[in-house]
């Protein structure tokens, strides 16, 4: 995190406005009620001249046949009329409907689903957000550092799709194709209750549904400008020192979007249409590097200030602004001819980012990353009275290329040293500041700029990675009605290839533990053997090329039986195959799924349901880095002790024979009622139980627990409630509450402490004592309120919208770094919780003639509470207190019988909430 001391291998990512966290900082209850009072008392308009909310919020012209983009799709935001057409619940997506009345419709009747129209989302304070930044607005969803998560799973266990085509990251499983909200018709988010037809993993599914052509030619233009305040950064800890620190703050941002839709006339006897859009953005990040040397004014050969924060002098501050950009674009063509519907889509984003090292020269520490993520999708749908069919071909591509930010660092080796070199051609000022054993050294009895851990980087940019991931996929589904039964069947296949190419600038990386010691690191030719004798030749190559491949195939059969006019029973069986290279083959994953739905009110206006089912994990190609051969590396060492050669052959972790697929069972019970097109109430109970996990263990890659140790468990219970209503003509509300517990021993593909481990975390690499307890995805309590208040001031239509959230902090752990690895000193999650996490975002909107003006304020009260804490209590030979408590830590002893040294960084914040930012927007529809 910005401001945290870093080793030379830790880079700081540029914060992006399009990725601005929309989840939560702290507010006091008094300012919130002041805010609510402001919302509820905006000058009211008369009911008969109430402004269209689409005009107020710049959502474009409203069409009478555009029912899926009307804000009333979520809760009655549109103007009500006494002569409204009869409610059509055939697809179940219109506000006032709880259930699709057409048994051939796509929505699963018992799914824990939320439809979020883009028109509704764009009316909230979201600025120029992409769909991944608002997916957690759906009921049942929360958010962690990896993204949106559901019911105990983490942000890397979802399936992300674009119009049904897989668009998640091939390497990690996280979101890859980020779609601007202006490109969307809406988001269909499912938190659970999956049927056999659903392509899912152990989390949820998020389907970005793109805009379609319109009856007339239309053009929408938007522009945004943002200002960001400086963030709060990790403090300097007592008894710690880093030669050079770096912090990053968001600078000004700007973005624009242009979306055109319309007809193309008659083509092949059908109606053709088009959609085209582009949404470029420019983002600034302000880097500040600070370097200083230690002080020993009393010449006792001990840095002044110890054991507290050490004293430094000669502070060298460098500030630079880096600019990054992103260009999302979309092009769609469609043809509707009778029962046949053909859609061709190209969508993707090109962007660049800047990453920076701490503990490095500015030349060696910065890397540019240029990426492209895109999808080509061809979909045919057939719609007949008793039959629906779909065939979809898609290709997802993701490329990434690293390069030296400073051209001078592009063609020379990077030098990693455990000290600051006496000579630094690119930074002579720092070299002079840190010089030891020279006449000008003010403190000859002490190292001026030690490197306590990691490396100090100079010279070139070091290891640069280019990666290319391709995932072609094919899906075919058919549904046919036989009397009171609807039979569905389908097949799908995905073939993912991830190729990474790594090279060192200058052809090698040089490491040095002390002056006179040098280790030259290079890649070895995979086709030839490299002897360990340094006097014998070894064949080196400029690049290491690794290829990882996964295959996913599925087939299902599903039957929906109408037991009565308002009762349906849906059951099916899904077969899946999941392979990761030649090492891990799961070929017979059978997932039965069953649900029963009752519509007590009738006509799709209510549903009461229960469901059960089994899900298997979609394993990412990045898992291949653990279980498939890696890069072959040789270190040729020269020092005063002689020459040597160390070889890393890149051997993978052993896959234990008999390992079984990761499986999870789910049970749901819920109800939803839509009353008089004005009120919608939804609630459910959801339970999930992990049957088998996958992770690295002392035996290899296996299902933890097979060797007699504690198994991988993750049990979740969740209660969800949502109320959406428009109590007056000028006021609309949507509010929700979640309460959930997730208890277990296994975090999955992502751990907030370790990052994207991809089923290769450290928890099962040591004795699993105290591993059972609340997991990071134990959400506790969550509450959200979305409100809109409309009115007029003279001839100007005004509106205020807000989204307020509050939630429990993450469970805390107490860890120790021992000779065996990282261990839990007391039971997992038993050290309390992090501070309450909340956020207040507000939008002020005005329509002046043909222009819509918006002012979005994020983190209105500028609260900057910590979101993650350092959990490492001590380093040394200590043993866990089996079943202990926080109070028992005072009795903790080392193996030598002495009290351990508590780390100064324990419980110090590692990350903070995003500070106040303001975005001004303008919109015009033509």
């Amino acid at each position: 995190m910005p401001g945290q001391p870093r080793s030379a291998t830790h880079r700081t990512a540029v914060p992006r406005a399009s990725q601005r966290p929309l989840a939560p900082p702290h507010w006091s209850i008094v300012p919130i009620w002041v805010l609510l009072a402001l919302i509820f008392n905006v000058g009211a308009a008369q009911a008969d001249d109430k402004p269209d909310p689409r005009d107020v919020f710049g959502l474009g012209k409203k069409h009478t046949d555009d029912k899926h983009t009307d804000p009333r799709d979520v809760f009655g935001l549109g103007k009500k009329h006494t002569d409204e057409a009869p409610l059509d619940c055939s697809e179940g997506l219109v506000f006032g409907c709880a259930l699709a009345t057409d048994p051939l419709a796509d929505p699963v009747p018992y799914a824990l689903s939320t439809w979020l129209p883009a028109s509704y989302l764009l009316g909230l304070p979201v600025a120029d957000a992409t769909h991944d930044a608002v997916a957690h607005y759906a009921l049942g969803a929360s958010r962690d550092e990896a993204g949106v998560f559901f019911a105990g799973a983490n942000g890397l266990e979802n399936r992300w799709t674009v119009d049904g085509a897989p668009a998640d990251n091939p390497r990690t499983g996280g979101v890859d194709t980020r779609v601007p909200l202006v490109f969307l018709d809406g988001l269909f988010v499912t938190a659970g209750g999956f049927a056999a037809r659903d392509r899912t993993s152990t989390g949820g599914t998020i389907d970005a549904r793109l805009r379609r052509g319109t009856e007339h030619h239309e053009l929408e233009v938007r522009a945004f400008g943002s200002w960001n305040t400086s963030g709060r950064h990790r403090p300097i800890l007592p008894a710690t020192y880093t030669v050079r620190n770096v912090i990053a703050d968001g600078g000004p941002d700007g973005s624009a979007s242009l979306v055109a839709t319309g007809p193309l006339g008659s083509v092949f006897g059908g109606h053709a249409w088009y959609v085209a859009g582009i949404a470029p953005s420019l983002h600034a990040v302000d880097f500040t590097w600070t370097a200083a040397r230690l002080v020993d004014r009393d010449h006792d050969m001990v840095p002044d200030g110890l054991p507290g924060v050490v004293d430094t002098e000669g502070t060298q501050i460098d500030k630079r602004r880096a600019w990054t950009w992103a260009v999302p674009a979309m092009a769609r063509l469609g043809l509707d001819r009778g029962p046949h519907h053909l859609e061709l889509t190209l969508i993707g984003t090109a962007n660049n980012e800047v990453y920076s090292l701490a503990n490095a020269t500015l030349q060696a520490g910065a890397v540019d990353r240029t990426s492209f993520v895109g999808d080509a999708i061809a979909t045919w749908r057939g719609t007949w009275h008793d039959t629906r069919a779909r065939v979809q071909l898609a290709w997802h591509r993701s490329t990434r290329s690293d390069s030296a930010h400073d051209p001078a660092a592009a063609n020379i080796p990077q030098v990693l040293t455990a000290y600051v070199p006496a000579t630094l051609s690119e930074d002579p000022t720092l070299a002079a500041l840190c010089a030891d054993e020279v006449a000008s050294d003010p403190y000859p009895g002490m190292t001026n700029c030690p490197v306590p851990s990691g490396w100090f980087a100079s010279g070139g940019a070091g290891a640069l990675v280019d990666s290319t991931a391709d995932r072609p996929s094919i899906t075919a589904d058919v549904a046919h009605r036989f009397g009171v039964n609807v039979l569905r069947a389908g097949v799908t296949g995905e073939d993912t290839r991830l190729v990474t190419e790594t090279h060192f600038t200058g052809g090698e990386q040089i490491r040095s533990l002390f002056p006179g010691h040098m280790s030259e690191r290079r890649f070895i030719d995979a086709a030839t053997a490299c002897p360990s004798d340094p006097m014998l030749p070894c064949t080196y190559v400029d690049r290491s090329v690794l290829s990882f491949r996964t295959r996913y195939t599925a087939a299902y059969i599903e039957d929906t039986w109408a037991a009565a006019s308002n009762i349906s029973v849906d059951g099916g069986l899904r077969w899946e195959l999941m392979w990761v290279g030649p090492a891990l083959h799961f070929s017979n994953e059978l997932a039965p799924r069953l649900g029963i739905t009752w519509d007590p009110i009738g006509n799709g206006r209510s549903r009461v349901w229960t469901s059960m089912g089994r899900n298997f994990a979609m394993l990412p190609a990045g898992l291949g880095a653990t279980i498939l051969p890696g890069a072959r590396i040789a270190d040729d060492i020269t020092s005063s002790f002689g020459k040597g050669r160390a070889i890393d052959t890149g051997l993978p972790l052993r896959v234990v024979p008999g390992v079984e697929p990761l499986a999870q069972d789910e049970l749901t019970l819920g109800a939803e009622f839509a009353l008089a097109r004005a009120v919608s109430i939804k609630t459910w109970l959801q339970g999930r139980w992990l049957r088998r996990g996958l992770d690295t263990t002392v035996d290899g890659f296996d299902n933890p627990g097979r060797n007699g140790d504690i198994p991988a468990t993750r049990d979740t219970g969740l209660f969800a409630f949502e109320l959406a209503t428009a109590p007056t003509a000028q006021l609309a509300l949507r509010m929700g509450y979640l309460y959930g517990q997730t208890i277990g021993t296994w975090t999955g593909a992502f751990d907030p402490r370790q990052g994207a481990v991809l089923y290769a975390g450290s928890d099962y690499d040591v004795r699993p004592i105290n591993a059972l307890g609340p997991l990071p995805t134990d959400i506790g309590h969550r509450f959200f309120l979305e409100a809109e208040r409309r009115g007029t001031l003279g001839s100007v239509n005004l509106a205020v919208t807000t989204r307020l959230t509050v939630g429990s902090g993450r469970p805390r752990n107490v860890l120790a770094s021992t000779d065996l690895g990282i261990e839990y000193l007391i039971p997992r999650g038993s050290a309390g919780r992090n501070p309450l996490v909340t956020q207040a975002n507000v939008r002020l909107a005005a329509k002046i003639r043909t222009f819509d003006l918006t002012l979005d304020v994020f983190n209105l009260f500028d609260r900057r509470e910590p979101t993650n804490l350092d959990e490492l209590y001590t380093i040394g030979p200590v043993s866990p207190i089996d079943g202990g408590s926080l109070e028992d830590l005072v009795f903790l002893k080392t193996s030598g019988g002495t009290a351990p040294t508590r780390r100064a960084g324990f419980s110090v914040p590692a990350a903070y909430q995003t500070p106040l930012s303001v975005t001004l927007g303008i919109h015009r529809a033509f």
Side-chain angles (χ1 to χ4, degrees):
M1 297 299 163
Q4 179 181 0
R6 302 173 184 276
S7 69
T9 59
H10 194 156
R11 299 186 184 272
T12 301
V14 172
R16 301 176 56 85
S18 60
Q19 298 171 354
R20 178 186 295 112
L22 299 179
H26 197 88
W27 37 265
S28 65
I29 196 69
V30 173
I32 284 303
W33 285 113
V34 172
L35 178 62
L36 292 177
L38 174 65
I39 294 171
F40 296 158
N41 287 282
V42 172
Q46 298 298 319
D48 56 357
D49 63 339
K50 181 185 68 175
D52 188 328
R54 295 174 62 95
D55 294 333
V56 174
F57 293 104
L59 304 181
K61 183 179 287 186
K62 182 178 177 181
H63 301 283
T64 57
D65 60 349
D66 193 11
K67 61 187 177 183
H68 293 327
T69 57
D70 192 318
R72 290 173 55 85
D73 293 350
V74 175
F75 55 92
L77 294 182
K79 178 179 283 188
K80 299 181 181 180
H81 301 282
T82 57
D83 58 347
E84 285 181 329
L87 189 64
D88 180 8
C89 292
S90 58
E91 297 293 326
L93 298 183
V94 181
F95 183 78
C97 297
L99 180 71
T101 55
D102 184 352
L104 293 169
D106 290 334
V108 176
Y110 50 84
L112 313 184
S113 58
T114 302
W115 169 242
L116 297 172
S119 56
Y120 168 67
L121 292 171
L122 287 168
L124 295 173
V126 295
D128 56 352
T130 52
H131 79 299
D132 58 297
V134 299
H136 66 285
Y137 287 13
L139 185 63
S142 299
R143 192 174 179 88
D144 63 13
E145 292 87 341
V148 60
F149 70 87
F150 303 88
N154 59 67
L156 297 184
E157 297 181 48
N158 305 312
R159 292 308 313 264
W160 296 82
T161 55
V162 174
D163 274 346
D168 28 37
N169 188 297
R171 188 182 72 85
T172 66
V175 61
D176 209 17
T177 303
R178 290 180 164 89
V179 184
L181 295 184
V182 293
F183 290 180
L184 290 180
D185 182 43
L187 282 180
F188 195 82
V189 183
T190 306
F194 299 106
R197 75 190 83 160
D198 289 317
R199 183 199 322 245
T200 185
S201 185
T202 49
T205 61
I206 304 97
D207 186 34
R209 300 187 177 178
L210 302 176
R211 297 181 64 166
R212 294 171 52 86
T214 49
E215 183 179 353
H216 305 284
H217 295 286
E218 298 180 9
L219 178 66
E220 288 190 63
V221 180
R222 287 179 170 84
F224 293 96
S226 299
W227 171 77
N228 305 294
T229 59
S230 297
R232 186 179 177 187
H233 303 289
R234 182 178 171 92
I236 296 176
L237 303 178
T240 63
Y241 171 76
T242 303
V243 177
R244 174 171 273 145
N245 288 304
V246 61
I247 60 174
D249 287 306
D253 301 328
S255 66
S257 67
L258 184 151
V259 179
T261 62
L264 290 175
S266 178
V267 178
F268 300 119
H271 171 71
W273 51 265
Y274 73 92
V275 180
I278 189 169
S281 58
L282 188 64
H283 316 277
V285 60
D286 294 324
F287 288 105
T288 301
W289 291 270
T290 303
R293 68 183 175 195
L294 298 176
V295 172
D296 183 22
R297 294 186 179 90
D298 56 8
H299 299 285
D300 63 352
M301 295 186 292
V302 175
D304 292 352
L306 290 177
V309 176
V310 296
D311 295 340
T312 59
E313 67 178 12
T315 302
Q316 176 187 346
I317 298 177
D318 293 278
K319 294 185 176 183
R320 296 186 183 181
R321 171 168 288 178
W323 290 94
T324 67
W325 50 266
V327 184
M330 174 183 67
R332 305 194 75 206
L333 295 175
L335 177 64
D336 300 320
R337 184 175 183 269
H340 303 283
H341 309 277
L342 179 65
E343 298 176 5
L344 304 176
T345 301
L346 293 175
I347 186 170
T349 299
N351 70 282
N352 94 303
E353 297 174 300
V354 180
Y355 294 82
S356 181
L357 291 172
N359 233 26
T361 63
L362 273 60
Q363 172 181 294
V367 170
D368 290 340
R369 176 168 295 169
T370 302
S371 305
F372 170 78
V373 176
D375 299 89
I377 307 169
T379 306
W380 168 82
R381 290 183 174 87
T383 305
W384 296 271
H385 182 268
D386 290 322
T387 305
R388 291 194 182 184
R390 177 184 65 143
V391 176
Q392 184 177 76
L393 302 175
W395 194 293
H396 179 82
R397 164 160 274 219
S398 177
T399 66
R400 186 186 80 183
S401 180
D402 290 348
S403 61
H405 182 71
D406 190 328
N411 298 307
I412 60 175
Q414 184 178 67
V415 181
L416 300 180
T417 56
Y419 55 92
V420 176
T423 302
L424 291 172
S425 59
E426 70 266 37
D427 199 343
T429 303
L430 180 64
L433 181 70
C434 296
D436 293 308
E437 300 179 1
V438 296
S440 59
D441 184 1
Y443 313 114
M446 181 187 68
T447 301
N448 291 322
C449 300
V451 182
S453 62
W455 303 96
F456 180 84
S458 60
L464 302 176
V465 180
D466 297 338
S467 67
T468 301
D470 288 288
R471 179 177 52 222
S473 65
I474 182 170
T475 301
D477 302 281
V478 63
H480 185 74
R481 177 168 25 210
F482 298 91
V484 295
N485 291 76
V486 173
L487 185 66
R488 289 179 169 85
V491 295
T492 187
E494 303 175 25
D495 189 353
T496 301
R497 292 176 176 87
L498 171 65
V499 178
T500 64
E501 297 186 19
T502 306
H503 71 280
F504 295 121
T505 56
E508 63 180 356
Q509 187 179 68
I510 299 173
R511 302 185 176 204
S512 177
L513 295 174
F514 51 86
H517 171 273
M518 182 175 69
S519 173
E520 298 174 271
R521 171 165 289 192
R522 289 168 285 195
F523 294 113
I524 305 171
D525 183 4
T528 61
C530 181
S532 58
D533 186 346
M535 305 308 295
L536 298 177
C538 182
T539 304
Y540 301 110
V541 293
D542 292 334
R543 291 175 178 265
S544 169
V545 180
L546 302 176
S547 180
F548 309 119
R549 185 177 184 182
T550 66
R551 290 182 179 178
Y552 171 78
T553 305
Y556 72 88
I557 186 168
E558 180 182 340
D559 178 60
T560 305
W561 170 47
S565 61
N566 60 349
I567 298 176
S568 66
V569 180
D570 182 278
L573 181 67
R574 186 177 183 90
W575 168 84
E576 296 181 337
L577 173 148
M578 185 72 249
W579 288 5
V580 181
L584 191 64
H585 286 185
F586 299 135
S587 300
N588 289 293
E589 301 178 337
L590 296 178
R593 297 170 188 171
L594 172 69
I596 303 173
T597 309
W598 171 43
D599 181 0
I601 298 178
N603 297 321
R605 292 175 296 166
S606 63
R607 60 176 178 141
V608 178
W609 76 88
T610 184
S611 72
M612 60 180 294
R614 170 162 289 192
N615 301 323
F616 293 93
M618 179 72 183
L619 300 179
L623 176 59
T626 300
I627 62 174
L628 300 177
R632 301 181 70 215
I633 297 173
D635 288 292
D636 289 304
I637 304 168
T638 304
S639 73
S640 57
F641 301 104
K643 294 181 178 292
R645 177 179 289 160
I647 299 174
D648 181 355
T649 59
L651 289 178
L653 186 69
R654 167 178 174 262
V655 176
V656 180
V659 63
E660 297 184 75
L662 193 163
Q664 175 180 271
D665 291 336
E666 181 183 70
L667 178 65
T668 75
L669 174 67
E672 181 177 1
F673 298 93
L675 308 175
R677 300 193 186 188
V679 178
S680 174
I681 300 173
K682 185 191 308 183
T683 185
W684 69 63
L685 295 171
Q686 182 180 15
R688 283 181 171 177
W689 299 269
L690 186 75
R691 294 308 180 194
R692 288 183 302 273
L694 283 174
D695 219 307
T696 56
T697 70
V698 293
D699 298 321
F701 192 73
D702 198 2
N703 306 120
R706 283 213 300 155
N707 60 1
D709 286 335
I710 185 172
T713 59
R714 189 176 67 189
D715 299 339
T716 299
L718 184 141
F719 167 75
F721 174 82
E722 179 184 283
L723 169 66
T725 183
T728 70
Q730 291 80 34
L731 178 64
L733 299 171
R734 175 176 176 249
M735 61 187 72
Y737 171 76
L738 296 177
Y739 174 73
Q741 286 188 330
T742 300
I743 308 297
T745 63
W746 183 79
T747 58
F750 178 81
D751 185 325
R753 175 175 58 87
Q754 303 178 70
V757 295
L758 303 183
Y759 308 105
S762 64
D763 284 352
Y764 289 93
D765 297 343
V766 297
R767 50 192 174 185
I769 299 174
N770 289 330
L772 178 64
L775 293 171
T777 51
D778 182 289
I779 65 170
H781 301 271
R782 292 282 191 275
F783 172 79
F784 70 84
L785 170 65
E786 296 163 357
E788 178 194 38
R789 183 73 165 89
R790 295 180 298 270
T792 60
L793 182 62
S795 61
V796 178
N797 294 327
L798 300 176
V800 179
T801 59
T802 186
R803 177 175 167 86
L804 313 176
T805 59
V806 58
S808 303
R810 178 179 290 151
R812 294 180 182 176
N813 303 311
V814 181
L815 308 174
S817 177
T818 71
D819 293 339
L820 298 177
I822 301 296
E823 299 189 81
Y824 292 88
L825 286 180
I826 58 177
R828 182 198 293 265
S830 62
R833 285 185 175 270
N834 289 348
L836 205 66
V837 275
T838 65
Q839 180 159 309
N841 295 340
V842 177
R843 164 173 288 187
L844 305 179
K847 185 176 183 65
I848 302 176
R849 295 187 178 181
T850 59
F851 291 93
D852 306 302
L853 303 179
T854 59
L855 180 68
D856 292 349
V857 183
F858 299 92
N859 189 7
L860 176 64
F861 303 113
D862 199 23
R863 305 295 297 184
R864 307 187 183 194
E865 300 299 325
T867 57
N868 207 359
L869 303 180
D870 189 331
E871 297 177 331
L872 189 59
Y873 181 81
T874 188
I875 300 174
V878 296
S879 296
I881 306 171
D882 195 355
S885 65
L886 194 61
E887 291 75 17
D888 294 329
L889 290 177
V890 297
F891 305 109
L892 185 66
K893 301 294 182 184
T894 67
S895 58
T898 60
T901 301
R902 171 174 162 160
R903 288 183 59 251
F906 176 67
S907 289
V908 172
Y912 297 89
Q913 295 169 355
T914 305
L916 170 73
S917 64
V918 179
T919 300
L920 180 64
I922 186 171
H923 165 260
R924 172 76 187 275
F926 300 89

